[in-house]
Amino acid sequence: MTKQEYRAKGTILYHEDDFCQIEIVPRENLSELIKQADNISDFTSENGYSDIYVREENKVSLKTKKISKSELESLLAKLGTEKHTEIITGYGNDYRVKSENTIGFGKDYSAVYFDFENEIVKNIWITNLDGLNHENVTNVLSEIGEKWNLIMMDWNSSELIDLSNKKMIEKYLK
């Protein structure tokens, strides 16, 4: 019998290192994001993968957009996937904690997450979109981008995606 992790129905898990690795942020951060991506590239060239680069906080936080939890939930529901209200995070096989005030839409390890405080969204991040319907993802991300003037930064690949540009989202998903 293989060891299987217990998770209550309605929960989803993300590795703590994936928190905001693919993040959705205000467009006002665009030039800073490009500068940081260049710095990471230089840092990696000099240090390889033997050291860790710590990113700076975004100058303009997502909270400034005053996105309501319920409004974002309505849009993310259009992904056509399960909504999870119990989110677990951690690392390895043994360390697990509840991610407080966090909601995720997805399945397995493909999901869009957000956390909130006082019903206002603080962060939106993605773990992987391969397991979700790409047409729905494109439409939802585009709507989110246009509605609140947001962009997406994938720190894993240093790709910057203009969420008001459906063609760019589609190219990213391929």
Side-chain angles (χ1 to χ4, degrees), residues 19-113:
F19 176 76
C20 289
Q21 267 304 101
I22 304 173
E23 64 178 335
I24 295 177
V25 298
R27 183 178 305 277
E28 292 86 343
N29 294 302
L30 181 65
S31 61
E32 289 299 315
L33 294 174
I34 292 169
K35 197 183 306 176
Q36 276 200 73
D38 287 344
N39 290 346
I40 290 169
S41 177
D42 293 345
F43 179 87
T44 305
S45 296
E46 292 170 19
N47 300 289
Y49 293 99
S50 62
D51 206 352
I52 295 172
Y53 182 91
V54 179
R55 293 190 322 256
E56 297 168 23
E57 289 282 319
N58 292 314
K59 290 211 187 303
V60 179
S61 79
L62 195 58
K63 287 191 288 192
T64 63
K65 297 294 182 176
K66 302 220 181 308
I67 301 169
S68 79
K69 171 184 170 274
S70 59
E71 199 170 5
L72 184 57
E73 280 180 295
S74 299
L75 282 178
L76 293 177
K78 296 177 184 179
L79 288 170
T81 189
E82 189 177 350
K83 172 186 169 184
H84 301 271
T85 54
E86 289 228 14
I87 310 298
I88 306 297
T89 188
Y91 56 86
N93 290 323
D94 300 323
Y95 180 71
R96 298 286 183 265
V97 293
K98 184 175 180 189
S99 186
E100 298 293 335
N101 297 325
T102 304
I103 292 177
F105 284 80
K107 60 183 180 183
D108 302 323
Y109 211 73
S110 295
V112 178
Y113 298 91

